[in-house]
Amino acid sequence: WGRTRLMRARFLQAHGRHRPRCHGRCLQADVESEHNAAPASAALITVPTVVFLVLMPMKSYWMLIVVALALLVLSLYYLLLAMLTEPGILEVDGPQQGDNGRRRPRVTHCVIEGERHELAEYRAKMCRQTENCVEEFDHFCPWVGNAVGRRNYRYFVAFVTTVSFLALVVGVTSCIHLWASHTVDGDARKPESKPIFRTSWAEVALLVLVAYTFIVLCSVCGLLGFHLRLISINQTTNESIRGTYFNQKNPYDKGAYLNCVQFATRPIPRSRVVSFVGGASNALRIPTDEEQADDDGQPAIEMI
């Protein structure tokens, strides 16, 4: 097992528009700029939250400030995971691109472990933006700059969930502080609104923040509700839009409870396009599941 311990999982080559990053530790989709709004996502989350943290008095709202800060960190963390996790790329059976610059023929099969399979067997689809066939393809999300599929769908849902709760905390806390700042001696039973010309810039900023979080809640919470429904019936966005199971039973639907349990507990599989390098030779075989742990029960290789 000493040789196996030296092995490292690395992405050694590009796949479609996905390029190795961080010395092959991850793949990032190098898509057109109009299809990559991940930096904008980070800014739209971070800037309003920082404004909120600056304007809120720590003494009165310290607990909510800590919650907002934690949700901000989690949101950015899941954004990075959804963006940099290889979504589930499958090798296609056929040319990677059309001859003489022509459009690539329609892909109907993929190759897994040397065997030819129909895309439907793996709920796969070609992603136009990344030019890759993705297992359990859900959709391409410009807000994370990546295709969403088998290996990063859970991270995408976690990103949307944390952003929704962050907007809720920021919006509700800002409303509470605005109300408290317009009462006499903290007595909410005697509200006395300040004249508009005496309203401070901080209160104007909070009003803008409340409006912003309301817009975010309307959009992101709607998206979250849509995906929670898909999880409960075990469908992908692609299958829902195409009406794949409109006139037939969904063979993957095990009931709402089991579908949710499967979503939360199903392990993320090893990437099918990763290479294992290191040790005495770079041409080492991929260890079996039984060989992945050493005598102490610790992982014997670095997983991606």
Side-chain angles (χ1 to χ4, degrees), residues 90-95 105-122 124 133 272:
L90 301 177
E91 180 184 353
V92 299
D93 181 28
R106 183 171 179 266
V107 175
T108 59
H109 292 77
C110 60
V111 178
I112 298 177
E113 297 180 355
E115 297 184 0
R116 190 169 180 262
H117 300 270
E118 292 186 359
L119 298 187
E121 296 180 41
Y122 290 86
C133 180
R272 299 182 187 275

Side-chain angles (χ1 to χ4, degrees), residues 10-301:
R10 294 289 184 267
F11 296 105
L12 301 181
Q13 62 183 8
H15 297 273
R17 286 184 172 269
H18 280 87
R19 302 289 185 266
R21 296 287 187 265
C22 302
H23 303 286
R25 290 179 174 84
C26 58
L27 280 182
Q28 183 179 8
D30 186 15
V31 296
E32 301 293 338
S33 57
E34 62 266 23
H35 295 146
N36 185 7
S41 295
L44 291 171
I45 295 170
T46 305
V47 173
T49 306
V50 170
V51 172
F52 168 79
L53 297 176
V54 170
L55 295 179
M56 286 295 105
M58 176 64 73
K59 184 177 180 180
S60 302
Y61 303 98
W62 68 270
M63 186 176 295
L64 291 172
I65 289 175
V66 170
V67 171
L69 186 59
L71 288 172
L72 172 63
V73 173
L74 286 174
S75 298
L76 297 177
Y77 172 70
Y78 285 121
L79 172 61
L80 284 174
L81 285 178
M83 179 176 63
L84 297 178
T85 299
E86 185 268 293
I89 298 174
L90 301 177
E91 180 184 353
V92 299
D93 181 28
Q96 294 294 324
Q97 56 186 0
D99 297 331
N100 299 324
R102 292 182 299 177
R103 186 176 181 180
R104 177 172 51 190
R106 183 171 179 266
V107 175
T108 59
H109 292 77
C110 60
V111 178
I112 298 177
E113 297 180 355
E115 297 184 0
R116 190 169 180 262
H117 300 270
E118 292 186 359
L119 298 187
E121 296 180 41
Y122 290 86
R123 309 170 79 178
K125 181 181 180 295
M126 285 297 301
C127 175
R128 177 171 54 87
Q129 289 82 2
T130 63
E131 300 178 2
N132 277 312
C133 180
V134 179
E135 182 180 0
E136 292 187 20
F137 177 78
D138 191 83
H139 69 291
F140 177 84
C141 179
W143 295 108
V144 300
N146 197 7
V148 178
R150 172 69 178 88
R151 300 188 69 248
N152 65 343
Y153 181 61
R154 190 183 301 165
Y155 299 143
F156 169 78
V157 174
F159 167 65
V160 176
T161 302
T162 51
V163 170
S164 299
F165 279 105
L166 177 59
L168 182 64
V169 170
V170 170
V172 171
T173 307
S174 299
C175 287
I176 293 174
H177 182 61
L178 282 172
W179 173 260
S181 65
H182 280 258
T183 58
V184 177
D185 297 328
D187 188 354
R189 294 173 298 176
K190 303 176 184 178
E192 291 186 6
S193 299
K194 297 180 181 179
I196 188 63
F197 57 84
R198 293 182 56 188
T199 300
S200 67
W201 68 269
E203 291 177 343
V204 173
L206 283 177
L207 286 172
V208 174
L209 198 58
V210 169
Y212 174 78
T213 54
F214 177 77
I215 296 173
V216 171
L217 284 172
C218 290
S219 56
V220 179
C221 285
L223 179 63
L224 176 61
F226 173 73
H227 280 281
L228 290 178
R229 174 186 172 273
L230 292 181
I231 292 170
S232 68
I233 61 177
N234 205 339
Q235 273 193 29
T236 65
T237 299
N238 177 60
E239 292 169 345
S240 177
I241 293 175
R242 296 176 60 188
T244 305
Y245 305 116
F246 183 75
N247 293 320
Q248 59 180 320
K249 180 178 174 59
N250 181 359
Y252 304 102
D253 187 2
K254 303 176 183 178
Y257 174 75
L258 291 179
N259 290 337
C260 293
V261 170
Q262 175 180 296
F263 166 79
T265 61
R266 185 169 62 160
I268 297 176
R270 180 188 302 131
S271 173
R272 299 182 187 275
V273 295
V274 76
S275 300
F276 289 85
V277 298
S281 171
N282 285 344
L284 296 177
R285 66 182 180 86
I286 298 177
T288 63
D289 292 338
E290 290 77 10
E291 296 171 335
Q292 287 183 17
D294 59 10
D295 296 338
D296 298 327
Q298 299 297 323
I301 59 175

